[in-house]
Amino acid sequence: MEEILPNFLKNRASLTPNKEAIVFNKNRLTFQELYEKAYYTAGVLAAEGITKGDYVAFLVKNDLRTVITLLSLHLLGARAVLLNNRLTANELLYQIKDSNSLFLIADDDFQLTAEDVLRNSSSLKVIFKKELDTKPFQKPVVQETVHINDTCTIMYTSGTTGFPKGVIQTYGNHWWSAVGNVLNAGLTDKDVWLCTVPIFHISGYSILMRSLMYGMKVILHESFDEKRVLTDLVQEKITIMSVVTAMLQRIEKAAMGAFPDYFRYMLLGGGPASIDLISSCMNKGIPVYYSYGMTETSSQIVTLPPEDAARKIGSAGKPLFPAQLKILDEKGKELGANEAGEIVVFGPNVSKGYLNKGPHSVDGWFHTGDIGYKDSEGFLYVLDRRSDLIISGGENIYPAEIESVLSSITGIKEAGVVGMDDRKWGQVPIAFVVCEEGTEIPAAQILEVCKRKLASYKLPKEIRFIEALPRNASKKIVRRTLREWIK
Amino acid sequence: MEEILPNFLKNRASLTPNKEAIVFNKNRLTFQELYEKAYYTAGVLAAEGITKGDYVAFLVKNDLRTVITLLSLHLLGARAVLLNNRLTANELLYQIKDSNSLFLIADDDFQLTAEDVLRNSSSLKVIFKKELDTKPFQKPVVQETVHINDTCTIMYTSGTTGFPKGVIQTYGNHWWSAVGNVLNAGLTDKDVWLCTVPIFHISGYSILMRSLMYGMKVILHESFDEKRVLTDLVQEKITIMSVVTAMLQRIEKAAMGAFPDYFRYMLLGGGPASIDLISSCMNKGIPVYYSYGMTETSSQIVTLPPEDAARKIGSAGKPLFPAQLKILDEKGKELGANEAGEIVVFGPNVSKGYLNKGPHSVDGWFHTGDIGYKDSEGFLYVLDRRSDLIISGGENIYPAEIESVLSSITGIKEAGVVGMDDRKWGQVPIAFVVCEEGTEIPAAQILEVCKRKLASYKLPKEIRFIEALPRNASKKIVRRTLREWIK
């Protein structure tokens, strides 16, 4: 059966019009108000020529107007191409052209970049967010329903080499992701989700979708600031927050006492987490659901269930109810428990493919390129991103394992490991270490700890001390940059 | 995209193997144990010849073995035809033949009926539940996944006239129903659902599906007994219970003090409820979610959201998030607020159609035959089942309205109203009244109250005092019987 659902925003406004939907700075909107503002914006965009099926690029930061404008596309049936606002004009241009976006909605802050982009794209029409209040309005044709296979958003994945690819996320992908989350983590009428991650990433956008489906309030911050997090935690009675490791570290450090009882969980994603960090959080009464997911899975696809958080620390957990997971060797054979191989996933939350590139596989299984294994109980342990795999003298080395050891050393704040070409071994691991402020640790002392915990072939051949790890907008380590530093 | 999900039972056993799944009398099974027992039973049924796609009829009562056997069909990919165990052999035979069931799994209690059925159906193979432990086992072919369009269950609707029709419920219908419930009512890891309604009805079967999807414990009773309900409420820390009006009345009467804090809600369905009853429950701290649904919608499709329970008492609420609702006049034109017409629903939880009868409509909208209206805020008020509509002198009379007045009279326990043919007016309403034990109220006094509350054409032309209303297995009033009593 071809599944048709009511328009998410309009339906939510109809079900719980007076419930608060979103808070940004001091501005609060109910679902009815959010709908009305999105309706008005849809009318303005319609007058600009945007219509059903159009790709509309967004170069924006987190704020209320961004949320309203993104949701206005739901009403028009247009698709949002969410651009990372840290990209250069050249990189943006590539994504705009690849997605065939005829419109670019830009934040005033990015005016110079937008103008740069415009200079090289004569067919593009740029609309600045600040203009949306003053431009003409025409009655929009509102999409009363959505088909679950309709494209909702396009997000480009950074890509380890070569050009980025536009991940197609349908309404169904977002829907099933949000349903999978509820079946794992539950839902209460007191839930309030704090979003300090970028809306242009799936981590942020997925919170907006959950808000509509759950009838749940979102507290939106322009960017991450641990002091504001701790303030709003109490003032807004936040129950859930999405974080990456670097954010959680700062929160854990800044948190003075135990978290309030009503706080339910930190949804931790975006890359490897140190076991020590998760333990420290648990000791401070900060519940953490460690998860694994990516743009192609429309947010988390594997999450550690609450009941196993303590027992299986370090594991990313089990697949969300609608999803499936297997580990394959290089020949595509399914591996057994405790055998490391490629993580391959399946489910209705998994993107069908990349824009203009056809489906990513014949059978619907998505090959993540990441390496991991399932233990005998089926819990996934993510070892590393395949592209980061270091192969040294025929032995596989997973950087995350070394990083975990390094960052557990007192005085070390964080660490990144990459492979360096080596005439004898093929590759050898090189460690980049960031010490806590005002702390100095001799490299020899660090190696002593490593020697105790790691097989000799895994020992970093060099330790370099740096000020901070290079991270992208989702706070993931950019290993490519580390590799460049080696050269 | 054709949606494929992991086998519900096997997946749940894999995700939370050690969580308690079901409790019946003193027997407790975890999801892993439930899976293992269902697996064994699947092997026994496979040895009997049951294979993927087969229709298997069930003539059973609520117990652990019934649950295990029903779920074993999920593993085999066979379809359960759920027979109402109050039917006569002739009625059962009709449904078995109509569904082309080659197997009948029967409870020992219904041995005589089953043998009666068998006598008239040479191709039928009867398997008694008690034999399932001793029959041979063969390794079953387990369906690792289900397609959401696969048929899961067939339930026959009583039908107002003529022969019953087999409602096809797919895995997707059950799935979306359970998702819609969660998005409305939330989900916590402490949820425990009490099932005292028959598993052969959608009210009971849907609880089993929710259990698998939510990872939630079910307390199963063989039948409804308010004293056991109140005992288990505390002993098993029940948070949710499905009830029909007659059950809720008995619980409300028997409840001595306030309900425990952890009790979340009574899901009230299966027909009209008196506003007085809901009010009494609210006063006693028994939260009630009044809902509207039917076999064809795979359980509730419209439910009063918690935040509106007090303000919109008497309303069945708003559609569950994935569903849609409209009110049509007799020509199929959509009606506005406060205009009564036929209730027409749409959604992925709505059955595609009846067995061997094709889809129920071209556009997927299901015409319920029930009468209701939406108020200006979109809340549904169910007036009556269309088949029960009494038309008198061109005026429409909805029995529920009269029944509500009658049952609000002190000393009257319950009331049923039907139309009697009348030469002058076409039809006139006749009331059947059940008084509280030891109470007698003169008909004239009852009519006095009615006169105060109802337009003159709605007044019952006759009041008959009876011991109890005729009700079917789901405790709905059987108006057909009342009509026969008139004759």
Side-chain angles (χ1 to χ4, degrees):
Chain A
M1 186 162 59
E2 302 280 302
E3 299 304 358
I4 291 165
L5 296 173
N7 182 297
F8 291 10
L9 171 62
K10 190 169 181 187
N11 192 35
R12 174 48 62 196
S14 151
L15 290 177
T16 53
N18 303 319
K19 246 190 124 173
E20 277 196 346
I22 189 156
V23 181
F24 179 74
N25 292 334
K26 298 289 167 197
N27 298 309
R28 317 178 83 85
L29 292 182
T30 64
F31 283 105
Q32 179 62 27
E33 291 164 340
L34 183 60
Y35 169 71
E36 283 166 10
K37 285 182 185 291
Y39 179 85
Y40 180 82
T41 303
V44 172
L45 296 181
E48 290 293 304
I50 295 177
T51 180
K52 187 175 178 180
D54 281 350
Y55 291 91
V56 180
F58 279 76
L59 180 61
V60 291
K61 53 186 189 173
N62 280 12
D63 67 15
L64 211 48
R65 170 56 83 191
T66 293
V67 173
I68 291 164
T69 313
L70 280 170
L71 295 182
S72 77
L73 292 205
H74 287 215
L75 299 179
L76 292 172
R79 293 108 180 232
V81 177
L82 291 146
L83 305 168
N84 184 325
N85 63 29
R86 298 185 170 204
L87 298 184
T88 63
N90 268 343
E91 292 169 306
L92 294 170
L93 200 60
Y94 177 84
Q95 300 184 11
I96 287 168
K97 288 193 166 165
D98 184 65
S99 61
N100 205 15
S101 295
L102 298 178
F103 298 88
L104 172 66
I105 294 176
D107 241 308
D108 319 339
D109 292 21
F110 308 121
Q111 187 161 350
L112 290 178
T113 318
E115 283 165 358
D116 252 13
V117 168
L118 192 57
R119 211 164 293 135
N120 294 291
S121 178
S122 55
S123 58
L124 188 70
K125 187 169 183 180
V126 177
I127 304 168
F128 287 102
K129 267 167 60 188
K130 66 177 166 196
E131 303 170 333
L132 288 170
D133 290 328
T134 51
K135 279 184 173 285
F137 169 93
Q138 81 179 42
K139 198 166 179 296
V141 180
V142 170
Q143 304 299 309
E144 299 292 333
T145 58
V146 292
H147 190 291
I148 58 168
N149 289 348
D150 287 343
T151 297
C152 178
T153 43
I154 304 288
M155 295 183 192
Y156 280 80
T157 47
S158 32
T160 49
T161 53
F163 293 106
K165 293 174 284 183
V167 178
I168 299 169
Q169 294 155 340
T170 61
Y171 283 91
N173 292 149
H174 290 299
W175 173 278
W176 286 92
S177 167
V179 167
N181 176 66
V182 158
L183 294 181
N184 182 57
L187 175 68
T188 87
D189 58 358
K190 294 189 178 58
D191 276 340
V192 179
W193 203 305
L194 174 59
C195 176
T196 70
V197 289
I199 299 177
F200 61 75
H201 275 311
I202 186 61
S203 54
Y205 193 88
S206 61
I207 297 173
L208 300 185
M209 289 305 247
R210 293 181 197 127
S211 166
L212 298 181
M213 288 171 56
Y214 305 169
M216 175 188 72
K217 178 157 64 177
V218 171
I219 310 297
L220 181 68
H221 288 183
E222 188 179 324
S223 60
F224 174 74
D225 174 82
E226 65 269 39
K227 281 188 200 115
R228 281 204 60 197
V229 167
L230 293 173
T231 306
D232 271 5
L233 188 72
V234 177
Q235 276 184 7
E236 298 289 351
K237 292 210 171 353
I238 285 156
T239 64
I240 311 169
M241 179 181 181
S242 298
V243 289
V244 297
T245 300
M247 290 161 57
L248 188 57
Q249 277 174 329
R250 280 161 63 183
I251 293 170
E252 190 271 338
K253 209 164 178 182
M256 301 305 285
F259 262 41
D261 278 351
Y262 51 74
F263 186 80
R264 295 213 296 126
Y265 62 93
M266 293 284 183
L267 183 60
L268 172 61
S274 111
I275 292 180
D276 288 354
L277 173 63
I278 298 180
S279 301
S280 306
C281 287
M282 291 177 73
N283 292 338
K284 278 204 176 177
I286 309 175
V288 176
Y289 288 10
Y290 183 41
S291 71
Y292 169 72
M294 60 214 74
T295 309
E296 288 89 339
T297 59
S298 316
S299 171
Q300 53 174 335
I301 185 163
V302 178
T303 304
L304 193 61
E307 53 270 37
D308 298 305
R311 195 168 65 90
K312 291 288 179 179
I313 194 163
S315 164
K318 293 182 176 177
L320 295 183
F321 196 98
Q324 297 176 61
L325 162 73
K326 59 188 179 188
I327 306 292
L328 299 185
D329 72 6
E330 281 164 22
K331 288 171 184 158
K333 196 180 126 264
E334 187 164 359
L335 295 170
N338 299 311
E339 294 181 307
E342 183 175 15
I343 300 169
V344 183
V345 295
F346 181 93
N349 57 318
V350 176
S351 166
K352 291 174 290 190
Y354 302 103
L355 204 58
N356 313 320
K357 303 249 183 330
H360 54 62
S361 71
V362 179
D363 58 3
W365 284 84
F366 176 67
H367 294 251
T368 65
D370 296 342
I371 305 296
Y373 66 89
K374 290 197 274 187
D375 72 8
S376 58
E377 291 178 70
F379 287 86
L380 175 69
Y381 289 78
V382 180
L383 294 171
D384 214 335
R385 304 268 157 175
R386 170 158 287 184
S387 54
D388 302 320
L389 186 66
I390 303 168
I391 305 183
S392 188
E395 294 283 357
N396 289 350
I397 300 174
Y398 302 108
E401 198 182 355
I402 305 171
E403 287 162 6
S404 172
V405 169
L406 291 170
S407 57
S408 71
I409 296 171
T410 311
I412 291 182
K413 192 177 166 195
E414 51 182 5
V417 171
V418 288
M420 182 175 73
D421 292 347
D422 184 272
R423 214 167 272 204
K424 190 171 179 188
W425 302 105
Q427 278 191 305
V428 291
I430 303 293
F432 289 84
V433 164
V434 181
C435 289
E436 298 283 358
E437 250 188 328
T439 310
E440 272 188 37
I441 316 169
Q445 189 181 320
I446 294 172
L447 270 175
E448 269 311 303
V449 178
C450 290
K451 273 182 190 161
R452 283 209 310 276
K453 300 197 176 176
L454 295 168
S456 60
Y457 71 87
K458 293 182 188 171
L459 295 178
K461 289 302 162 288
E462 205 180 312
I463 292 172
R464 300 198 191 173
F465 295 92
I466 53 173
E467 294 282 311
L469 288 177
R471 292 185 183 275
N472 66 13
S474 352
K475 303 278 186 285
K476 286 185 196 170
I477 300 176
V478 183
R479 294 184 202 274
R480 211 168 46 245
T481 307
L482 291 179
R483 278 188 215 102
E484 282 161 15
W485 288 355
I486 290 177
K487 293 165 194 162
Chain B
M1 187 162 57
E2 301 282 300
E3 300 302 359
I4 291 167
L5 297 172
N7 182 297
F8 292 9
L9 171 63
K10 190 169 182 188
N11 192 36
R12 175 48 62 196
S14 152
L15 291 177
T16 54
N18 303 318
K19 248 190 123 173
E20 276 195 346
I22 189 158
V23 181
F24 179 75
N25 291 337
K26 298 288 169 198
N27 297 309
R28 317 178 83 84
L29 292 182
T30 64
F31 283 104
Q32 179 62 26
E33 291 165 341
L34 183 59
Y35 169 71
E36 284 165 10
K37 286 184 184 289
Y39 179 86
Y40 181 82
T41 302
V44 172
L45 296 181
E48 290 293 305
I50 294 177
T51 182
K52 186 176 178 178
D54 282 350
Y55 290 89
V56 180
F58 279 75
L59 181 61
V60 292
K61 53 185 189 174
N62 281 12
D63 68 14
L64 212 46
R65 171 54 83 192
T66 293
V67 173
I68 292 164
T69 313
L70 280 170
L71 294 182
S72 78
L73 291 205
H74 288 215
L75 299 179
L76 292 171
R79 292 107 180 235
V81 177
L82 291 145
L83 305 168
N84 184 325
N85 64 28
R86 300 187 169 200
L87 298 185
T88 63
N90 268 344
E91 292 170 307
L92 294 170
L93 200 60
Y94 176 84
Q95 300 185 9
I96 287 167
K97 288 194 166 164
D98 184 65
S99 61
N100 204 15
S101 296
L102 298 178
F103 299 88
L104 171 67
I105 294 176
D107 241 308
D108 318 338
D109 291 21
F110 308 120
Q111 188 161 350
L112 290 178
T113 317
E115 282 164 0
D116 252 14
V117 168
L118 192 57
R119 211 163 294 134
N120 294 292
S121 177
S122 55
S123 59
L124 189 70
K125 188 169 184 181
V126 177
I127 305 167
F128 286 102
K129 267 168 61 188
K130 66 178 167 197
E131 303 170 332
L132 287 170
D133 290 327
T134 51
K135 278 185 173 283
F137 169 93
Q138 83 179 40
K139 198 168 179 296
V141 180
V142 170
Q143 303 300 309
E144 300 291 334
T145 57
V146 293
H147 190 290
I148 58 167
N149 289 349
D150 286 344
T151 297
C152 177
T153 43
I154 305 287
M155 295 182 192
Y156 280 80
T157 47
S158 31
T160 47
T161 53
F163 292 107
K165 293 175 283 183
V167 178
I168 300 170
Q169 294 155 340
T170 62
Y171 283 92
N173 292 149
H174 289 301
W175 173 277
W176 287 93
S177 167
V179 167
N181 177 64
V182 158
L183 294 182
N184 182 57
L187 175 68
T188 87
D189 57 359
K190 295 190 177 59
D191 276 340
V192 178
W193 204 305
L194 174 60
C195 175
T196 69
V197 287
I199 300 177
F200 61 74
H201 275 312
I202 187 60
S203 54
Y205 193 88
S206 61
I207 298 172
L208 300 184
M209 289 305 247
R210 293 180 196 129
S211 167
L212 299 180
M213 288 172 56
Y214 305 168
M216 176 189 70
K217 178 156 63 177
V218 171
I219 310 297
L220 182 67
H221 288 184
E222 189 180 323
S223 59
F224 174 74
D225 174 82
E226 64 269 39
K227 280 189 201 114
R228 281 206 58 198
V229 168
L230 292 174
T231 306
D232 271 4
L233 187 72
V234 176
Q235 277 185 7
E236 299 288 351
K237 291 208 170 356
I238 285 157
T239 64
I240 311 169
M241 179 180 181
S242 299
V243 290
V244 297
T245 300
M247 289 161 59
L248 188 57
Q249 277 174 329
R250 279 160 64 181
I251 293 170
E252 191 270 337
K253 207 165 179 181
M256 299 307 284
F259 262 42
D261 278 350
Y262 51 74
F263 184 82
R264 297 214 295 127
Y265 62 93
M266 294 285 184
L267 183 59
L268 172 61
S274 110
I275 292 180
D276 288 352
L277 173 62
I278 298 179
S279 302
S280 307
C281 286
M282 291 177 72
N283 292 339
K284 279 204 177 175
I286 308 175
V288 176
Y289 289 9
Y290 181 42
S291 71
Y292 168 73
M294 59 214 76
T295 309
E296 288 90 338
T297 60
S298 315
S299 171
Q300 52 173 334
I301 186 163
V302 178
T303 304
L304 193 60
E307 54 271 35
D308 298 305
R311 195 167 64 90
K312 292 287 180 179
I313 196 163
S315 165
K318 292 182 177 178
L320 295 183
F321 195 97
Q324 298 174 61
L325 164 72
K326 59 188 179 187
I327 306 292
L328 299 185
D329 72 7
E330 279 164 25
K331 288 172 184 157
K333 197 181 124 266
E334 187 164 357
L335 295 170
N338 299 311
E339 295 182 305
E342 184 175 14
I343 301 169
V344 183
V345 294
F346 181 94
N349 58 317
V350 176
S351 166
K352 291 174 290 191
Y354 302 102
L355 204 59
N356 315 319
K357 303 250 181 331
H360 54 64
S361 71
V362 179
D363 58 3
W365 285 85
F366 176 67
H367 294 249
T368 65
D370 295 342
I371 304 295
Y373 66 90
K374 290 197 274 187
D375 71 8
S376 57
E377 292 179 68
F379 287 85
L380 175 69
Y381 289 78
V382 180
L383 294 172
D384 213 335
R385 305 268 157 174
R386 170 157 288 183
S387 55
D388 301 319
L389 187 66
I390 303 168
I391 304 183
S392 189
E395 293 282 358
N396 289 349
I397 300 174
Y398 303 106
E401 197 184 356
I402 304 171
E403 286 161 9
S404 172
V405 168
L406 289 170
S407 56
S408 72
I409 296 171
T410 311
I412 292 183
K413 192 179 168 194
E414 50 183 6
V417 171
V418 288
M420 182 175 74
D421 293 346
D422 184 271
R423 216 167 270 204
K424 187 169 181 190
W425 303 105
Q427 278 192 304
V428 290
I430 303 293
F432 289 84
V433 164
V434 181
C435 290
E436 297 285 356
E437 250 189 325
T439 310
E440 271 188 37
I441 315 170
Q445 188 180 321
I446 295 172
L447 271 175
E448 269 312 301
V449 178
C450 290
K451 273 182 189 163
R452 282 209 310 277
K453 299 198 177 178
L454 294 168
S456 59
Y457 71 87
K458 294 182 186 169
L459 295 178
K461 290 301 161 291
E462 205 179 313
I463 292 172
R464 300 199 189 171
F465 295 91
I466 53 174
E467 293 283 310
L469 288 176
R471 291 184 183 276
N472 66 13
S474 353
K475 304 276 187 283
K476 286 186 197 170
I477 299 176
V478 182
R479 293 183 202 274
R480 211 169 44 248
T481 308
L482 291 179
R483 278 188 215 102
E484 281 160 15
W485 287 356
I486 289 179
K487 291 166 194 161

mmCIF file of all heavy atoms in Angstrom, chain B residues 52-68:
data_model
loop_
_atom_site.group_PDB
_atom_site.id
_atom_site.type_symbol
_atom_site.label_atom_id
_atom_site.label_comp_id
_atom_site.label_asym_id
_atom_site.label_seq_id
_atom_site.Cartn_x
_atom_site.Cartn_y
_atom_site.Cartn_z
ATOM 1 N N LYS B 52 3.675 -21.084 5.122
ATOM 2 C CA LYS B 52 3.531 -19.646 4.825
ATOM 3 C C LYS B 52 2.298 -19.356 3.972
ATOM 4 O O LYS B 52 2.052 -20.038 2.979
ATOM 5 C CB LYS B 52 4.787 -19.157 4.100
ATOM 6 C CG LYS B 52 4.795 -17.659 3.893
ATOM 7 C CD LYS B 52 6.075 -17.148 3.266
ATOM 8 C CE LYS B 52 5.930 -15.640 3.057
ATOM 9 N NZ LYS B 52 7.133 -15.029 2.488
ATOM 10 N N GLY B 53 1.540 -18.363 4.373
ATOM 11 C CA GLY B 53 0.374 -17.945 3.603
ATOM 12 C C GLY B 53 -0.913 -18.662 3.964
ATOM 13 O O GLY B 53 -1.992 -18.248 3.546
ATOM 14 N N ASP B 54 -0.816 -19.755 4.751
ATOM 15 C CA ASP B 54 -2.030 -20.493 5.141
ATOM 16 C C ASP B 54 -2.914 -19.667 6.071
ATOM 17 O O ASP B 54 -2.418 -18.887 6.883
ATOM 18 C CB ASP B 54 -1.649 -21.783 5.883
ATOM 19 C CG ASP B 54 -1.194 -22.881 4.936
ATOM 20 O OD1 ASP B 54 -1.360 -22.706 3.714
ATOM 21 O OD2 ASP B 54 -0.664 -23.902 5.424
ATOM 22 N N TYR B 55 -4.211 -19.899 5.939
ATOM 23 C CA TYR B 55 -5.158 -19.320 6.888
ATOM 24 C C TYR B 55 -5.433 -20.361 7.966
ATOM 25 O O TYR B 55 -5.804 -21.491 7.653
ATOM 26 C CB TYR B 55 -6.451 -18.920 6.189
ATOM 27 C CG TYR B 55 -6.268 -17.730 5.262
ATOM 28 C CD1 TYR B 55 -5.911 -17.912 3.930
ATOM 29 C CD2 TYR B 55 -6.419 -16.433 5.739
ATOM 30 C CE1 TYR B 55 -5.713 -16.816 3.084
ATOM 31 C CE2 TYR B 55 -6.238 -15.336 4.911
ATOM 32 C CZ TYR B 55 -5.879 -15.534 3.578
ATOM 33 O OH TYR B 55 -5.685 -14.465 2.756
ATOM 34 N N VAL B 56 -5.238 -19.964 9.205
ATOM 35 C CA VAL B 56 -5.420 -20.881 10.331
ATOM 36 C C VAL B 56 -6.454 -20.282 11.276
ATOM 37 O O VAL B 56 -6.242 -19.194 11.833
ATOM 38 C CB VAL B 56 -4.083 -21.092 11.077
ATOM 39 C CG1 VAL B 56 -4.280 -22.044 12.247
ATOM 40 C CG2 VAL B 56 -3.013 -21.607 10.118
ATOM 41 N N ALA B 57 -7.570 -20.997 11.444
ATOM 42 C CA ALA B 57 -8.632 -20.470 12.294
ATOM 43 C C ALA B 57 -8.354 -20.782 13.767
ATOM 44 O O ALA B 57 -7.769 -21.825 14.087
ATOM 45 C CB ALA B 57 -9.969 -21.066 11.868
ATOM 46 N N PHE B 58 -8.731 -19.863 14.630
ATOM 47 C CA PHE B 58 -8.527 -20.011 16.076
ATOM 48 C C PHE B 58 -9.866 -19.935 16.792
ATOM 49 O O PHE B 58 -10.590 -18.954 16.648
ATOM 50 C CB PHE B 58 -7.624 -18.886 16.611
ATOM 51 C CG PHE B 58 -6.157 -19.146 16.387
ATOM 52 C CD1 PHE B 58 -5.597 -18.997 15.131
ATOM 53 C CD2 PHE B 58 -5.343 -19.542 17.445
ATOM 54 C CE1 PHE B 58 -4.248 -19.238 14.924
ATOM 55 C CE2 PHE B 58 -3.993 -19.782 17.247
ATOM 56 C CZ PHE B 58 -3.440 -19.638 15.979
ATOM 57 N N LEU B 59 -10.154 -20.986 17.567
ATOM 58 C CA LEU B 59 -11.343 -20.976 18.419
ATOM 59 C C LEU B 59 -10.828 -21.128 19.845
ATOM 60 O O LEU B 59 -10.703 -22.245 20.358
ATOM 61 C CB LEU B 59 -12.279 -22.132 18.035
ATOM 62 C CG LEU B 59 -13.582 -22.249 18.824
ATOM 63 C CD1 LEU B 59 -14.449 -21.015 18.656
ATOM 64 C CD2 LEU B 59 -14.351 -23.496 18.409
ATOM 65 N N VAL B 60 -10.470 -20.026 20.438
ATOM 66 C CA VAL B 60 -9.671 -20.068 21.669
ATOM 67 C C VAL B 60 -10.134 -19.047 22.688
ATOM 68 O O VAL B 60 -10.868 -18.121 22.373
ATOM 69 C CB VAL B 60 -8.188 -19.787 21.349
ATOM 70 C CG1 VAL B 60 -7.565 -20.929 20.548
ATOM 71 C CG2 VAL B 60 -8.055 -18.470 20.593
ATOM 72 N N LYS B 61 -9.668 -19.244 23.915
ATOM 73 C CA LYS B 61 -9.889 -18.234 24.947
ATOM 74 C C LYS B 61 -8.550 -17.597 25.293
ATOM 75 O O LYS B 61 -7.500 -18.029 24.802
ATOM 76 C CB LYS B 61 -10.544 -18.878 26.162
ATOM 77 C CG LYS B 61 -9.786 -20.089 26.682
ATOM 78 C CD LYS B 61 -10.529 -20.783 27.811
ATOM 79 C CE LYS B 61 -9.610 -21.850 28.422
ATOM 80 N NZ LYS B 61 -10.184 -22.477 29.599
ATOM 81 N N ASN B 62 -8.584 -16.584 26.122
ATOM 82 C CA ASN B 62 -7.358 -15.897 26.538
ATOM 83 C C ASN B 62 -6.526 -16.780 27.447
ATOM 84 O O ASN B 62 -6.946 -17.093 28.565
ATOM 85 C CB ASN B 62 -7.706 -14.632 27.343
ATOM 86 C CG ASN B 62 -8.106 -13.461 26.479
ATOM 87 O OD1 ASN B 62 -8.337 -13.613 25.288
ATOM 88 N ND2 ASN B 62 -8.175 -12.291 27.078
ATOM 89 N N ASP B 63 -5.373 -17.198 27.005
ATOM 90 C CA ASP B 63 -4.389 -17.777 27.917
ATOM 91 C C ASP B 63 -3.012 -17.746 27.265
ATOM 92 O O ASP B 63 -2.871 -17.279 26.124
ATOM 93 C CB ASP B 63 -4.779 -19.189 28.402
ATOM 94 C CG ASP B 63 -4.748 -20.232 27.298
ATOM 95 O OD1 ASP B 63 -4.176 -19.963 26.221
ATOM 96 O OD2 ASP B 63 -5.307 -21.321 27.524
ATOM 97 N N LEU B 64 -2.023 -18.205 27.974
ATOM 98 C CA LEU B 64 -0.653 -18.104 27.517
ATOM 99 C C LEU B 64 -0.440 -18.900 26.226
ATOM 100 O O LEU B 64 0.225 -18.457 25.286
ATOM 101 C CB LEU B 64 0.263 -18.636 28.625
ATOM 102 C CG LEU B 64 1.640 -18.015 28.757
ATOM 103 C CD1 LEU B 64 1.592 -16.511 28.692
ATOM 104 C CD2 LEU B 64 2.267 -18.475 30.071
ATOM 105 N N ARG B 65 -1.022 -20.076 26.201
ATOM 106 C CA ARG B 65 -0.873 -20.963 25.053
ATOM 107 C C ARG B 65 -1.470 -20.331 23.795
ATOM 108 O O ARG B 65 -0.947 -20.489 22.695
ATOM 109 C CB ARG B 65 -1.540 -22.302 25.401
ATOM 110 C CG ARG B 65 -1.683 -23.282 24.294
ATOM 111 C CD ARG B 65 -0.402 -23.594 23.588
ATOM 112 N NE ARG B 65 0.426 -24.600 24.249
ATOM 113 C CZ ARG B 65 1.691 -24.830 23.884
ATOM 114 N NH1 ARG B 65 2.259 -24.120 22.912
ATOM 115 N NH2 ARG B 65 2.386 -25.760 24.502
ATOM 116 N N THR B 66 -2.573 -19.608 23.966
ATOM 117 C CA THR B 66 -3.173 -18.913 22.824
ATOM 118 C C THR B 66 -2.212 -17.865 22.274
ATOM 119 O O THR B 66 -1.994 -17.769 21.053
ATOM 120 C CB THR B 66 -4.505 -18.239 23.243
ATOM 121 O OG1 THR B 66 -5.446 -19.267 23.546
ATOM 122 C CG2 THR B 66 -5.059 -17.356 22.145
ATOM 123 N N VAL B 67 -1.625 -17.092 23.169
ATOM 124 C CA VAL B 67 -0.682 -16.053 22.745
ATOM 125 C C VAL B 67 0.498 -16.688 22.009
ATOM 126 O O VAL B 67 0.889 -16.243 20.920
ATOM 127 C CB VAL B 67 -0.187 -15.233 23.960
ATOM 128 C CG1 VAL B 67 0.929 -14.273 23.550
ATOM 129 C CG2 VAL B 67 -1.348 -14.471 24.586
ATOM 130 N N ILE B 68 1.054 -17.729 22.598
ATOM 131 C CA ILE B 68 2.218 -18.396 21.992
ATOM 132 C C ILE B 68 1.863 -18.925 20.602
ATOM 133 O O ILE B 68 2.626 -18.759 19.643
ATOM 134 C CB ILE B 68 2.696 -19.556 22.902
ATOM 135 C CG1 ILE B 68 3.287 -18.985 24.193
ATOM 136 C CG2 ILE B 68 3.689 -20.449 22.176
ATOM 137 C CD1 ILE B 68 3.429 -20.013 25.312
#
